[in-house]
Amino acid sequence: MNTEPLVRSILAALLLLENSDDSEVDPDVAVAGMEAIAHELQQLTPAEIEEFITVVGHIADTEEDPARREFYRSVPFALGMSVPPSDR
């Protein structure tokens, strides 16, 4: 299965929740949404987590917008799946 579209959709949802103005999405709702996504992704097997991190890295490497690229690179750590990007 090609997981890149699925991972891209997860990144898009996280980016939306992270960058939404308080008047667009209630901050508590945004945090709850991000925590729910993190919880579900933490149910993946170690091999699936490794694949997720690899795909996120590929997407980050091909992203032209520097802010999005850095956000994408921070996602695995923010979700509790890996070490901070600067420690790799």
Coordinates of all heavy atoms in Angstrom, one line a residue:
M1 N 0.8 -1.2 0.0 CA 0.0 0.0 0.0 C 0.9 1.2 0.0 O 1.9 1.3 0.7 CB -0.9 0.0 1.2 CG -1.8 1.2 1.4 SD -3.0 1.0 2.6 CE -2.6 2.4 3.7
N2 N 0.5 2.2 -0.8 CA 1.2 3.5 -0.8 C 0.7 4.3 0.3 O -0.5 4.8 0.3 CB 0.9 4.2 -2.2 CG 1.6 5.6 -2.2 OD1 2.3 5.9 -1.4 ND2 1.2 6.3 -3.2
T3 N 1.5 4.5 1.4 CA 1.1 5.2 2.6 C 1.2 6.7 2.5 O 0.8 7.4 3.4 CB 1.8 4.7 3.8 OG1 3.2 4.8 3.6 CG2 1.5 3.2 4.1
E4 N 1.9 7.2 1.5 CA 2.2 8.6 1.4 C 1.0 9.5 1.4 O 0.9 10.5 2.2 CB 3.1 9.0 0.2 CG 3.6 10.4 0.3 CD 4.6 10.8 -0.7 OE1 5.5 9.9 -1.0 OE2 4.6 11.9 -1.2
P5 N -0.1 9.2 0.7 CA -1.3 10.0 0.8 C -1.9 10.0 2.2 O -2.4 11.1 2.6 CB -2.2 9.4 -0.3 CG -1.3 8.7 -1.2 CD -0.2 8.2 -0.4
L6 N -1.9 8.9 2.8 CA -2.4 8.9 4.2 C -1.6 9.7 5.1 O -2.1 10.5 5.9 CB -2.5 7.4 4.7 CG -3.0 7.2 6.1 CD1 -4.4 7.7 6.2 CD2 -2.9 5.7 6.4
V7 N -0.3 9.6 5.0 CA 0.6 10.4 5.9 C 0.5 11.9 5.6 O 0.4 12.7 6.5 CB 2.1 9.9 5.8 CG1 3.0 10.8 6.5 CG2 2.2 8.5 6.3
R8 N 0.4 12.2 4.3 CA 0.1 13.6 3.9 C -1.2 14.2 4.5 O -1.2 15.3 5.0 CB 0.1 13.8 2.4 CG 1.5 13.8 1.8 CD 1.4 14.1 0.3 NE 2.7 14.1 -0.3 CZ 3.6 15.0 -0.2 NH1 3.3 16.2 0.4 NH2 4.8 14.9 -0.8
S9 N -2.2 13.3 4.6 CA -3.5 13.8 5.1 C -3.3 14.0 6.7 O -3.9 15.0 7.2 CB -4.6 12.8 4.8 OG -4.4 11.6 5.4
I10 N -2.6 13.2 7.3 CA -2.4 13.3 8.8 C -1.6 14.6 9.0 O -1.9 15.4 9.9 CB -1.6 12.1 9.3 CG1 -2.5 10.9 9.3 CG2 -1.1 12.4 10.8 CD1 -1.9 9.6 9.6
L11 N -0.5 14.8 8.2 CA 0.3 16.1 8.3 C -0.6 17.3 8.1 O -0.5 18.3 8.8 CB 1.5 16.0 7.4 CG 2.5 15.0 7.7 CD1 3.6 15.0 6.6 CD2 3.2 15.2 9.1
A12 N -1.5 17.2 7.1 CA -2.3 18.4 6.8 C -3.3 18.7 8.0 O -3.5 19.8 8.3 CB -3.1 18.1 5.5
A13 N -3.8 17.6 8.6 CA -4.7 17.8 9.7 C -4.0 18.4 10.9 O -4.4 19.3 11.5 CB -5.4 16.5 10.1
L14 N -2.8 17.9 11.2 CA -2.0 18.4 12.2 C -1.6 19.9 12.0 O -1.6 20.7 12.9 CB -0.7 17.6 12.5 CG -0.9 16.2 13.0 CD1 0.3 15.3 12.9 CD2 -1.4 16.3 14.5
L15 N -1.2 20.2 10.8 CA -0.8 21.6 10.4 C -2.0 22.5 10.6 O -1.9 23.6 11.1 CB -0.3 21.6 9.0 CG 0.4 22.9 8.5 CD1 1.6 23.2 9.3 CD2 0.8 22.7 7.0
L16 N -3.2 22.1 10.1 CA -4.4 22.9 10.3 C -4.7 23.1 11.8 O -4.9 24.3 12.2 CB -5.6 22.2 9.7 CG -6.9 22.8 9.9 CD1 -7.1 24.0 9.0 CD2 -8.1 21.8 9.8
L17 N -4.6 22.1 12.6 CA -4.9 22.3 14.0 C -3.8 23.2 14.7 O -4.1 24.0 15.6 CB -5.0 20.9 14.7 CG -6.1 20.1 14.3 CD1 -6.0 18.6 14.9 CD2 -7.5 20.7 14.8
E18 N -2.6 23.0 14.3 CA -1.5 23.8 14.9 C -1.6 25.2 14.5 O -1.3 26.1 15.4 CB -0.1 23.2 14.4 CG 1.1 23.9 14.9 CD 1.3 23.8 16.4 OE1 0.8 22.8 17.0 OE2 2.0 24.6 17.0
N19 N -1.9 25.5 13.3 CA -1.9 26.9 12.8 C -3.2 27.7 12.8 O -3.2 28.8 12.4 CB -1.3 26.9 11.4 CG 0.2 26.6 11.4 OD1 0.9 26.8 12.4 ND2 0.6 25.9 10.4
S20 N -4.3 27.0 13.2 CA -5.6 27.7 13.2 C -5.6 28.8 14.3 O -5.2 28.6 15.4 CB -6.7 26.7 13.5 OG -6.8 25.8 12.4
D21 N -6.2 29.9 13.9 CA -6.4 31.0 14.8 C -7.5 30.6 15.8 O -8.3 29.8 15.5 CB -6.8 32.2 14.0 CG -7.0 33.5 14.8 OD1 -5.9 34.1 15.1 OD2 -8.1 33.7 15.2
D22 N -7.4 31.2 17.0 CA -8.3 30.9 18.0 C -9.8 31.1 17.6 O -10.7 30.4 18.1 CB -8.1 31.7 19.3 CG -6.8 31.3 20.0 OD1 -6.1 30.3 19.5 OD2 -6.4 31.9 21.0
S23 N -10.0 32.0 16.7 CA -11.3 32.3 16.2 C -11.8 31.3 15.2 O -13.0 31.2 14.9 CB -11.4 33.7 15.6 OG -10.6 33.8 14.4
E24 N -10.9 30.5 14.7 CA -11.2 29.4 13.7 C -11.5 28.1 14.4 O -12.4 27.4 14.0 CB -10.1 29.3 12.7 CG -9.9 30.5 11.8 CD -8.6 30.4 11.0 OE1 -7.6 29.8 11.4 OE2 -8.6 30.9 9.9
V25 N -10.6 27.7 15.3 CA -10.7 26.5 16.0 C -10.4 26.8 17.5 O -9.3 27.3 17.8 CB -9.7 25.4 15.4 CG1 -9.8 24.1 16.2 CG2 -10.0 25.1 14.0
D26 N -11.3 26.4 18.3 CA -11.0 26.5 19.8 C -9.7 25.8 20.1 O -9.5 24.7 19.7 CB -12.2 25.9 20.6 CG -12.0 26.1 22.0 OD1 -11.3 25.3 22.6 OD2 -12.6 27.0 22.6
P27 N -8.8 26.5 20.8 CA -7.5 25.9 21.2 C -7.6 24.6 21.9 O -6.8 23.7 21.6 CB -6.8 27.0 22.1 CG -7.5 28.3 21.7 CD -8.9 27.9 21.3
D28 N -8.6 24.4 22.8 CA -8.8 23.2 23.5 C -9.2 22.1 22.5 O -8.7 20.9 22.7 CB -9.8 23.3 24.6 CG -9.3 24.2 25.7 OD1 -8.1 24.3 25.9 OD2 -10.2 24.8 26.4
V29 N -10.0 22.4 21.6 CA -10.4 21.4 20.5 C -9.2 21.0 19.7 O -9.0 19.9 19.4 CB -11.6 22.0 19.7 CG1 -11.9 21.0 18.5 CG2 -12.8 22.2 20.6
A30 N -8.4 22.0 19.3 CA -7.2 21.7 18.5 C -6.3 20.8 19.2 O -5.8 19.8 18.7 CB -6.5 23.0 18.1
V31 N -6.0 21.1 20.5 CA -5.1 20.2 21.3 C -5.7 18.8 21.4 O -5.0 17.8 21.3 CB -4.9 20.8 22.7 CG1 -4.2 19.8 23.6 CG2 -4.0 22.1 22.6
A32 N -7.0 18.7 21.7 CA -7.7 17.4 21.8 C -7.6 16.6 20.5 O -7.3 15.4 20.5 CB -9.1 17.6 22.2
G33 N -7.7 17.3 19.4 CA -7.6 16.7 18.1 C -6.2 16.1 17.8 O -6.0 15.0 17.4
M34 N -5.2 17.0 18.2 CA -3.8 16.5 18.0 C -3.5 15.4 18.9 O -2.8 14.4 18.5 CB -2.9 17.7 18.2 CG -3.0 18.8 17.1 SD -2.2 20.3 17.4 CE -0.5 19.8 17.1
E35 N -4.0 15.4 20.2 CA -3.7 14.3 21.1 C -4.4 13.0 20.6 O -3.8 11.9 20.8 CB -4.2 14.7 22.5 CG -3.4 15.7 23.2 CD -3.9 16.2 24.5 OE1 -5.1 15.9 24.8 OE2 -3.2 16.9 25.2
A36 N -5.6 13.1 20.0 CA -6.3 12.0 19.5 C -5.5 11.3 18.3 O -5.4 10.1 18.3 CB -7.7 12.3 19.1
I37 N -5.0 12.2 17.5 CA -4.2 11.7 16.3 C -2.9 11.0 16.9 O -2.6 9.9 16.5 CB -3.8 12.8 15.4 CG1 -5.1 13.3 14.6 CG2 -2.7 12.4 14.4 CD1 -4.9 14.6 13.9
A38 N -2.3 11.6 17.8 CA -1.1 11.0 18.4 C -1.4 9.7 19.1 O -0.6 8.7 18.9 CB -0.4 12.0 19.5
H39 N -2.5 9.6 19.8 CA -2.8 8.4 20.5 C -3.0 7.2 19.5 O -2.5 6.1 19.7 CB -4.1 8.6 21.3 CG -4.6 7.3 21.9 ND1 -4.0 6.6 22.9 CD2 -5.7 6.5 21.5 CE1 -4.7 5.5 23.2 NE2 -5.7 5.4 22.3
E40 N -3.7 7.5 18.4 CA -4.0 6.5 17.4 C -2.7 6.1 16.7 O -2.5 4.9 16.5 CB -5.0 7.0 16.4 CG -6.4 7.2 16.9 CD -7.0 5.9 17.6 OE1 -6.7 4.8 17.1 OE2 -7.7 6.1 18.6
L41 N -1.8 7.0 16.4 CA -0.6 6.7 15.7 C 0.4 5.9 16.7 O 1.2 5.1 16.2 CB 0.1 7.9 15.2 CG -0.6 8.6 14.0 CD1 0.1 9.9 13.7 CD2 -0.6 7.6 12.8
Q42 N 0.2 6.1 18.0 CA 1.1 5.4 18.9 C 0.7 3.9 19.0 O 1.4 3.1 19.6 CB 1.1 6.1 20.3 CG 1.9 7.3 20.2 CD 1.7 8.2 21.5 OE1 1.0 7.9 22.4 NE2 2.4 9.3 21.5
Q43 N -0.5 3.5 18.4 CA -0.9 2.2 18.4 C -0.2 1.3 17.3 O -0.4 0.1 17.2 CB -2.4 2.1 18.2 CG -3.2 2.9 19.2 CD -2.9 2.6 20.7 OE1 -2.9 1.5 21.1 NE2 -2.5 3.7 21.4
L44 N 0.5 2.0 16.4 CA 1.2 1.3 15.3 C 2.3 0.4 15.9 O 2.8 0.7 17.0 CB 1.8 2.3 14.4 CG 0.9 3.3 13.6 CD1 1.7 4.4 12.9 CD2 0.0 2.5 12.7
T45 N 2.6 -0.6 15.1 CA 3.7 -1.5 15.5 C 5.1 -0.7 15.3 O 5.1 0.3 14.6 CB 3.8 -2.7 14.7 OG1 4.1 -2.3 13.3 CG2 2.5 -3.5 14.7
P46 N 6.1 -1.2 16.0 CA 7.4 -0.5 15.7 C 7.8 -0.4 14.3 O 8.3 0.7 13.8 CB 8.4 -1.4 16.5 CG 7.6 -1.9 17.6 CD 6.2 -2.2 17.0
A47 N 7.5 -1.4 13.5 CA 7.8 -1.3 12.0 C 7.0 -0.3 11.3 O 7.4 0.4 10.5 CB 7.6 -2.7 11.4
E48 N 5.7 -0.2 11.7 CA 4.8 0.8 11.1 C 5.2 2.2 11.5 O 5.2 3.1 10.7 CB 3.4 0.5 11.5 CG 2.8 -0.8 10.9 CD 1.5 -1.2 11.6 OE1 1.2 -0.9 12.8 OE2 0.8 -1.9 10.9
I49 N 5.7 2.4 12.8 CA 6.1 3.7 13.2 C 7.4 4.1 12.4 O 7.5 5.2 12.0 CB 6.4 3.7 14.8 CG1 5.1 3.6 15.5 CG2 7.3 4.9 15.2 CD1 5.3 3.4 17.0
E50 N 8.3 3.1 12.2 CA 9.5 3.4 11.4 C 9.1 3.8 10.0 O 9.6 4.8 9.5 CB 10.4 2.2 11.4 CG 11.7 2.4 10.7 CD 12.6 1.2 10.8 OE1 12.6 0.5 11.7 OE2 13.4 1.0 9.8
E51 N 8.1 3.2 9.4 CA 7.7 3.5 8.1 C 7.0 4.9 8.1 O 7.3 5.7 7.2 CB 6.7 2.5 7.6 CG 6.2 2.9 6.2 CD 5.2 1.9 5.6 OE1 4.8 0.9 6.3 OE2 4.7 2.1 4.5
F52 N 6.2 5.2 9.1 CA 5.6 6.5 9.2 C 6.7 7.6 9.3 O 6.6 8.6 8.6 CB 4.7 6.6 10.4 CG 4.0 7.9 10.7 CD1 2.9 8.3 10.0 CD2 4.6 8.8 11.6 CE1 2.3 9.5 10.2 CE2 4.0 10.1 11.8 CZ 2.8 10.4 11.1
I53 N 7.7 7.4 10.1 CA 8.7 8.4 10.3 C 9.5 8.6 9.0 O 9.8 9.7 8.6 CB 9.7 8.0 11.4 CG1 8.9 8.1 12.8 CG2 10.9 8.8 11.4 CD1 9.6 7.5 14.0
T54 N 9.8 7.5 8.3 CA 10.4 7.5 7.0 C 9.6 8.3 6.0 O 10.2 9.2 5.3 CB 10.7 6.1 6.5 OG1 11.6 5.4 7.4 CG2 11.4 6.1 5.1
V55 N 8.3 8.1 5.9 CA 7.5 8.8 4.9 C 7.4 10.2 5.3 O 7.5 11.1 4.4 CB 6.1 8.1 4.8 CG1 5.2 8.9 3.9 CG2 6.2 6.7 4.3
V56 N 7.3 10.6 6.6 CA 7.3 12.0 7.0 C 8.6 12.6 6.6 O 8.6 13.8 6.1 CB 7.0 12.1 8.5 CG1 7.3 13.5 9.0 CG2 5.6 11.7 8.9
G57 N 9.7 12.0 6.8 CA 11.0 12.5 6.4 C 11.0 12.8 4.9 O 11.6 13.8 4.5
H58 N 10.5 11.9 4.1 CA 10.5 12.0 2.7 C 9.7 13.2 2.3 O 10.1 14.1 1.4 CB 10.0 10.8 2.0 CG 9.7 11.0 0.5 ND1 10.7 11.1 -0.4 CD2 8.6 11.1 -0.2 CE1 10.2 11.3 -1.6 NE2 8.8 11.3 -1.5
I59 N 8.5 13.3 2.9 CA 7.6 14.5 2.6 C 8.3 15.8 3.0 O 8.3 16.8 2.3 CB 6.3 14.3 3.3 CG1 5.5 13.1 2.7 CG2 5.4 15.6 3.3 CD1 4.3 12.7 3.5
A60 N 8.9 15.8 4.2 CA 9.6 17.0 4.6 C 10.8 17.4 3.6 O 10.9 18.5 3.3 CB 10.2 16.8 6.0
D61 N 11.5 16.4 3.2 CA 12.6 16.6 2.3 C 12.2 17.2 0.9 O 12.9 17.9 0.3 CB 13.4 15.3 2.0 CG 14.2 14.9 3.2 OD1 14.4 15.7 4.1 OD2 14.6 13.7 3.2
T62 N 10.9 16.9 0.5 CA 10.4 17.4 -0.7 C 9.6 18.7 -0.6 O 9.2 19.2 -1.6 CB 9.6 16.3 -1.5 OG1 8.5 15.9 -0.7 CG2 10.5 15.1 -1.8
E63 N 9.4 19.1 0.6 CA 8.6 20.3 0.9 C 9.4 21.6 0.6 O 10.5 21.7 1.1 CB 8.1 20.3 2.3 CG 7.3 21.6 2.7 CD 6.1 21.9 1.8 OE1 5.3 21.0 1.7 OE2 6.0 23.0 1.3
E64 N 8.8 22.5 -0.2 CA 9.6 23.7 -0.6 C 9.4 24.8 0.5 O 10.4 25.6 0.6 CB 9.1 24.2 -1.9 CG 9.4 23.3 -3.1 CD 9.0 23.8 -4.4 OE1 8.6 25.0 -4.6 OE2 9.0 23.0 -5.4
D65 N 8.3 24.8 1.2 CA 8.1 25.9 2.2 C 8.9 25.5 3.4 O 8.7 24.5 4.1 CB 6.6 26.0 2.5 CG 6.4 27.0 3.6 OD1 6.5 26.7 4.8 OD2 6.0 28.2 3.2
P66 N 9.9 26.4 3.8 CA 10.7 26.0 5.0 C 10.0 25.8 6.3 O 10.3 25.0 7.1 CB 11.7 27.2 5.1 CG 11.6 27.9 3.8 CD 10.3 27.6 3.2
A67 N 8.9 26.6 6.5 CA 8.2 26.5 7.8 C 7.4 25.1 7.8 O 7.4 24.5 8.8 CB 7.2 27.6 7.9
R68 N 6.8 24.8 6.7 CA 6.2 23.5 6.7 C 7.2 22.3 6.8 O 6.9 21.3 7.5 CB 5.4 23.3 5.3 CG 4.1 24.0 5.3 CD 3.3 23.6 4.1 NE 2.1 24.4 4.1 CZ 1.1 24.2 3.3 NH1 1.2 23.2 2.4 NH2 0.0 24.9 3.3
R69 N 8.3 22.5 6.1 CA 9.4 21.4 6.2 C 9.8 21.2 7.6 O 9.8 20.1 8.1 CB 10.6 21.9 5.3 CG 11.7 20.8 5.2 CD 12.7 21.2 4.2 NE 13.2 22.5 4.2 CZ 13.0 23.4 3.3 NH1 12.3 23.1 2.2 NH2 13.4 24.7 3.4
E70 N 10.0 22.3 8.4 CA 10.4 22.1 9.8 C 9.3 21.6 10.6 O 9.5 20.8 11.5 CB 10.9 23.5 10.3 CG 12.3 23.9 9.7 CD 13.3 22.8 9.8 OE1 13.6 22.2 10.9 OE2 13.9 22.5 8.7
F71 N 8.1 22.0 10.3 CA 6.9 21.4 11.1 C 6.9 19.9 10.8 O 6.7 19.2 11.8 CB 5.6 22.1 10.7 CG 4.4 21.5 11.3 CD1 4.1 21.8 12.7 CD2 3.6 20.6 10.7 CE1 3.0 21.3 13.3 CE2 2.5 20.0 11.3 CZ 2.2 20.4 12.6
Y72 N 6.9 19.5 9.6 CA 6.8 18.1 9.3 C 7.9 17.3 10.0 O 7.7 16.2 10.5 CB 6.9 17.9 7.8 CG 5.8 18.4 7.0 CD1 5.9 18.6 5.6 CD2 4.6 18.7 7.5 CE1 4.8 19.1 4.8 CE2 3.5 19.2 6.8 CZ 3.7 19.4 5.4 OH 2.6 19.9 4.7
R73 N 9.1 17.9 10.0 CA 10.3 17.2 10.6 C 10.0 17.0 12.1 O 10.6 16.1 12.8 CB 11.6 17.9 10.3 CG 12.0 17.7 8.9 CD 13.4 18.2 8.7 NE 13.9 17.9 7.4 CZ 14.4 18.8 6.5 NH1 14.7 20.0 7.0 NH2 14.8 18.5 5.3
S74 N 9.3 17.9 12.7 CA 9.1 17.9 14.2 C 7.9 16.9 14.6 O 7.8 16.6 15.7 CB 8.7 19.3 14.7 OG 7.4 19.7 14.3
V75 N 7.1 16.5 13.6 CA 5.9 15.7 13.9 C 6.2 14.4 14.7 O 5.6 14.2 15.7 CB 5.1 15.5 12.7 CG1 4.1 14.4 12.8 CG2 4.4 16.8 12.3
P76 N 7.1 13.6 14.2 CA 7.3 12.3 14.9 C 7.7 12.6 16.4 O 7.2 11.9 17.3 CB 8.5 11.6 14.1 CG 8.3 12.2 12.8 CD 7.9 13.6 12.9
F77 N 8.6 13.6 16.6 CA 8.9 13.9 18.0 C 7.7 14.4 18.8 O 7.5 14.0 19.9 CB 10.1 14.9 18.1 CG 10.4 15.3 19.5 CD1 11.0 14.5 20.4 CD2 10.1 16.6 19.9 CE1 11.2 14.9 21.7 CE2 10.3 17.0 21.2 CZ 10.9 16.2 22.1
A78 N 7.0 15.3 18.2 CA 5.8 15.9 18.9 C 4.8 14.8 19.2 O 4.0 15.0 20.2 CB 5.2 17.0 18.0
L79 N 4.7 13.8 18.4 CA 3.8 12.7 18.6 C 4.3 11.6 19.5 O 3.7 10.6 19.8 CB 3.3 12.1 17.3 CG 2.6 13.0 16.3 CD1 2.3 12.3 15.1 CD2 1.3 13.6 17.0
G80 N 5.5 11.8 20.0 CA 6.2 10.8 20.9 C 6.7 9.6 20.2 O 6.8 8.5 20.9
M81 N 7.1 9.7 19.0 CA 7.5 8.6 18.2 C 9.0 8.5 18.0 O 9.5 7.5 17.5 CB 6.9 8.6 16.8 CG 5.4 8.6 16.9 SD 4.7 8.8 15.2 CE 3.8 7.3 15.1
S82 N 9.8 9.6 18.2 CA 11.2 9.6 18.0 C 11.9 10.7 18.8 O 11.2 11.5 19.5 CB 11.5 9.8 16.5 OG 11.4 11.2 16.1
V83 N 13.2 10.8 18.6 CA 14.0 11.8 19.3 C 13.8 13.1 18.5 O 13.4 13.1 17.3 CB 15.5 11.4 19.3 CG1 15.7 10.2 20.2 CG2 16.0 11.3 17.9
P84 N 14.1 14.3 19.2 CA 14.0 15.6 18.4 C 14.9 15.6 17.2 O 15.9 14.9 17.1 CB 14.6 16.6 19.4 CG 14.5 15.9 20.8 CD 14.6 14.4 20.5
P85 N 14.4 16.3 16.1 CA 15.2 16.3 14.9 C 16.6 16.7 15.0 O 17.5 16.2 14.4 CB 14.4 17.3 14.0 CG 13.0 17.3 14.6 CD 13.2 17.1 16.1
S86 N 16.9 17.6 15.9 CA 18.3 18.1 16.1 C 19.2 17.1 16.7 O 20.4 17.2 16.7 CB 18.3 19.4 16.9 OG 17.7 19.1 18.2
D87 N 18.6 16.0 17.4 CA 19.4 15.0 18.0 C 19.7 13.8 17.1 O 20.3 12.9 17.5 CB 18.7 14.5 19.3 CG 18.7 15.6 20.4 OD1 19.4 16.6 20.2 OD2 17.9 15.4 21.4
R88 N 19.2 13.8 15.9 CA 19.4 12.7 15.0 C 20.8 12.8 14.3 O 21.3 13.8 14.1 CB 18.4 12.7 13.9 CG 17.1 12.2 14.5 CD 16.1 11.9 13.4 NE 14.8 12.1 14.0 CZ 13.7 12.6 13.5 NH1 13.7 12.9 12.2 NH2 12.6 12.7 14.1

